[in-house]
Each structure stands twice: as structure tokens, then as C-alpha cells.
């Protein structure tokens, strides 16, 4: 076996074109930062030009450069436009991270049909169509990484959260279907299932009594820090993950395995 350079070079993403949907804050922005620092040309995505530019500016202040694509990745026309732009500019999309999602916390009985449709459209159907378009570009070069952000809520359910687990479990099924369909083309498909992370959207809950109780239920005794998801995302996007396919990897401090 021939050795060349450091083994850690295999984690590099040099010259890889990466698109991360819904990535102007939180876990998406942390993954974007880590992949850019690993050498990738990263496109962050948001629904408004203002949110995208604010996120880019925040990263620039830390010395990290990323590109931006404005569009709603649950809308077919926006997906088509953004993927056409990547094809025109680079001829490829090497890594797709399906990160966009919304959550309406309420019991199933409280949902109307339009809300159910919205949850599935944003969390599942948009990711399916975006993955289809990205995989078509990846097949041309016989290499690609499809990474889907699910949730431990796709495997464990709690009262008062009637539709979100359905959408997240649907993403797991999608990820596995993609893993089988595209593996022969050099494209792997895997999922990251985050647990409780102290992102901007969760800060109110983190600082509440309920949030403190939730932390004590975790074997680590705390909420996750957003940067703690980034290493796995970089690994799954790299050459070193080539034989990992169709897997869901939980990043939750052990929350989902504690009885």
C-alpha cells in the first residue's frame, strides 16, 4: 500500500462544490464554515438575499469565504434555477447537504391539512427534488455525496409533535432509497440525525426550566454545541467516507440510546 502525505489529507474537500440548503444560520451555517475551511467552494442558501448576505458577512469576519444562492428549496422553480446556476458556473455539484426544514410543534389533532402539506413539502418533498437534480449532475462525474439532515425525532417521538417525526422518518427512507439507486454511480447517501443543539432557534428553550430538564436526560448532561456537528459533515463529504452508504448517524450525546 502506497503512502502519500498525511492520512488526514483525506478529509480535505479541496475544489469540491458544495450546496447546503437552508444554511444561513444554525447547524447549516456551522457545516458551511467547516467545509469551507476544509477547502470546499461552499454555497449557502436562504430564502432572502438579506439573510444570505448577512450570513456571508458573518463568515467573512472570521476569514471564511462562501458563496450564496437565494431561493426557497421547497419550490420547484427555485430549485431548478439554483441547480442550473451551479451547472452553468461549475458543471457540477459534488456535495449536497439537505438541511432545510421547519417545525410546527403541536399535536396531530391540532393540524389542518394545509399545515400537514407545508411540513411535508418543506421537510421532505423539496429535499427529494433537490437530491434528484443534484444526483443528475453527480452522475456525470461518477462521484458525489448526498447528505441529509434528519433528526433523532425521526426515531423517537414525544407528545405534542405530531407531524415532524413523520417528515424526518420520510427523509430517512429517501436517504436509503438514494443510497441504493446511485451507489453504482459513485454517489453515496447518508444522514445525520442531530439531537438537542443550542442553536439560535432553540436558545429560549435552552434557557428555560424545560430545557434544563432536557439536558439532564442526556448522558452528557448538556445541549450540543452547533460546531459539534461539523466534523461528521466534513467526513461524510470526503473521500474517506466512500464505503459508508445508507446510514443514519446520530449526533445527540447519547440521548436516543438512554432508556
Amino acid at each position: 500500500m502506497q503512502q502519500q502525505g498525511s492520512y488526514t489529507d483525506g478529509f480535505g474537500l479541496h475544489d469540491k462544490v458544495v450546496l447546503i440548503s437552508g444554511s444561513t444560520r444554525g447547524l447549516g451555517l456551522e457545516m458551511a464554515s467547516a467545509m469551507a475551511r476544509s477547502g470546499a467552494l461552499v454555497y449557502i442558501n436562504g430564502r432572502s438575499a438579506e439573510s444570505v448576505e448577512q450570513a456571508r458577512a458573518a463568515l467573512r469576519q472570521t476569514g471564511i469565504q462562501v458563496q450564496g444562492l437565494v431561493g426557497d428549496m421547497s419550490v420547484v422553480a427555485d430549485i431548478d434555477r439554483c441547480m442550473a446556476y451551479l451547472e452553468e458556473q461549475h458543471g457540477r455539484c459534488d456535495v449536497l447537504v439537505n438541511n432545510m426544514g421547519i417545525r410546527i410543534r403541536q399535536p396531530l389533532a391540532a393540524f389542518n391539512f394545509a399545515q400537514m402539506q407545508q411540513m411535508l413539502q418543506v421537510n421532505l418533498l423539496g429535499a427529494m427534488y433537490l437530491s434528484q437534480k443534484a444526483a443528475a449532475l453527480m452522475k456525470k462525474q461518477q462521484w458525489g455525496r448526498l447528505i441529509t439532515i434528519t433528526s433523532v425525532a425521526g426515531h423517537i417521538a414525544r407528545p405534542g409533535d405530531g407531524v415532524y417525526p413523520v417528515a424526518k422518518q420520510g427523509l430517512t427512507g429517501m436517504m436509503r432509497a438514494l443510497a441504493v439507486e446511485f451507489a453504482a454511480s459513485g454517489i453515496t447517501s447518508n444522514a445525520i440525525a442531530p439531537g438537542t443543539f443550542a442553536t439560535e432557534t432553540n436558545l429560549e428553550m435552552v434557557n428555560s426550566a424545560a430545557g434544563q430538564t432536557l439536558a439532564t436526560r442526556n448522558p452528557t448532561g448538556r445541549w450540543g454545541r452547533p460546531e459539534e456537528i461539523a466534523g461528521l459533515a466534513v467526513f461524510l463529504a470526503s473521500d474517506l467516507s466512500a464505503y459508508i452508504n445508507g446510514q443514519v448517524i446520530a449526533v445527540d450525546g447519547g440521548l436516543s440510546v438512554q432508556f
Side-chain angles (χ1 to χ4, degrees):
M1 181 180 297
Q2 186 178 8
Q3 286 186 324
Q4 294 182 347
S6 169
Y7 187 77
T8 57
D9 291 344
F11 291 100
L13 303 179
H14 300 287
D15 300 322
K16 301 298 185 188
V17 178
V18 177
L19 171 61
I20 306 176
S21 69
S23 51
T24 57
R25 61 180 181 172
L27 300 184
L29 193 59
E30 285 291 341
M31 289 185 285
S33 172
M35 289 187 181
R37 287 160 54 200
S38 299
L41 174 60
V42 177
Y43 281 84
I44 62 170
N45 159 253
R47 292 188 178 95
S48 72
E50 181 182 13
S51 67
V52 170
E53 187 48 44
Q54 285 178 348
R56 292 184 67 201
L59 290 181
R60 280 197 299 270
Q61 290 180 352
T62 66
I64 298 169
Q65 297 287 337
V66 298
Q67 304 302 310
L69 280 177
V70 178
D72 185 335
M73 296 297 100
S74 67
V75 175
V76 169
D78 283 8
I79 293 173
D80 286 343
R81 174 176 50 79
C82 288
M83 294 309 296
Y85 178 83
L86 290 182
E87 184 172 20
E88 177 185 346
Q89 294 296 311
H90 307 288
R92 67 189 204 276
C93 175
D94 301 302
V95 179
L96 169 67
V97 181
N98 285 306
N99 180 67
M100 186 182 67
I102 61 170
R103 190 169 196 168
I104 303 174
R105 292 179 184 269
Q106 59 187 27
L108 180 62
F111 275 87
N112 59 45
F113 190 70
Q115 290 174 316
M116 295 181 194
Q117 284 185 312
Q118 180 188 20
M119 287 282 285
L120 293 177
Q121 180 70 30
V122 174
N123 290 317
L124 179 57
L125 294 179
M128 290 180 68
Y129 187 66
L130 184 57
S131 296
Q132 179 193 60
K133 292 296 183 180
L137 290 180
M138 294 172 183
K139 285 183 70 174
K140 294 180 180 180
Q141 62 194 27
Q142 294 291 290
W143 196 97
R145 298 287 185 265
L146 298 168
I147 303 170
T148 298
I149 308 303
T150 60
S151 172
V152 294
H155 306 282
I156 54 176
R158 293 184 61 79
D161 200 15
V163 176
Y164 189 75
V166 177
K168 290 300 184 178
Q169 188 60 36
L171 283 174
T172 297
M174 178 199 78
M175 176 275 295
R176 289 175 173 156
L178 297 175
V180 173
E181 182 168 351
F182 296 117
S185 298
I187 303 167
T188 62
S189 173
N190 292 288
I192 299 173
T196 51
F197 275 83
T199 61
E200 300 95 326
T201 55
N202 288 331
L203 284 182
E204 183 176 346
M205 185 176 183
V206 171
N207 296 320
S208 69
Q212 295 302 311
T213 300
L214 186 57
T216 64
R217 291 184 56 241
N218 194 302
T220 65
R222 64 177 177 84
W223 285 65
R225 296 184 291 271
E227 64 269 20
E228 292 177 311
I229 203 170
L232 177 57
V234 170
F235 169 62
L236 289 178
S238 75
D239 288 325
L240 292 181
S241 67
Y243 206 54
I244 300 175
N245 191 36
Q247 304 303 308
V248 180
I249 304 174
V251 183
D252 66 354
L255 177 67
S256 58
V257 298
Q258 178 165 287
F259 181 74

